[in-house]
Amino acid sequence: PDNNPLLAMVSLIAPALARGNAVVVVPSQPYALIATDFYQVLETSDVPAGVVNILTGREEVLGKTLSEHQGVEAVWYFGARDGMVNVEHRATDSMKRTWVELNGRDWVQNGEGPEFLSASCQVKNIWIPFKA
């Protein structure tokens, strides 16, 4: 992600969009400007308004808010272990589906990539914090 932050973010968003989902992206602080520039591209495209939403701010605050929000059906979280635990704990109240990166799990290297993408893209609203 550090070498190609835009490509990394788009590769996370594209499968969800292809399956007809709305996406909320929380970019990491060093790449927030790249994410907002990408949003300007989306505004001039045929992607309907509100399908891709980019939020900038403190990850702890946004993680709490989005994992508890009743309108968000699933959360992908890639970040600090404390954040993973908090997201999974807070998501239980709404029975929200979560995917977290524990112990540096690599979904593609383990051969779980297609199954992971298929399962994670079967919901309608997904929060994807892009953490570089």
Side-chain angles (χ1 to χ4, degrees), residues 16-34:
L17 293 180
R19 298 290 297 246
N21 295 300
V23 177
V24 178
V25 180
V26 178
S28 63
Q29 289 182 343
Y31 302 112
L33 205 56
I34 291 172

Side-chain angles (χ1 to χ4, degrees), residues 67-110:
S67 60
E68 292 175 343
H69 195 284
Q70 297 297 322
V72 177
E73 296 177 23
V75 177
W76 286 358
Y77 185 89
F78 303 99
R81 184 167 182 78
D82 290 345
M84 289 181 235
V85 171
N86 286 332
V87 163
E88 288 203 318
H89 175 72
R90 294 180 192 286
T92 57
D93 289 340
S94 60
M95 300 296 289
K96 192 178 292 20
R97 203 160 178 191
T98 60
W99 295 273
V100 297
E101 176 194 17
L102 292 172
N103 302 321
R105 184 175 191 171
D106 189 337
W107 302 96
V108 177
Q109 292 287 338
N110 293 333

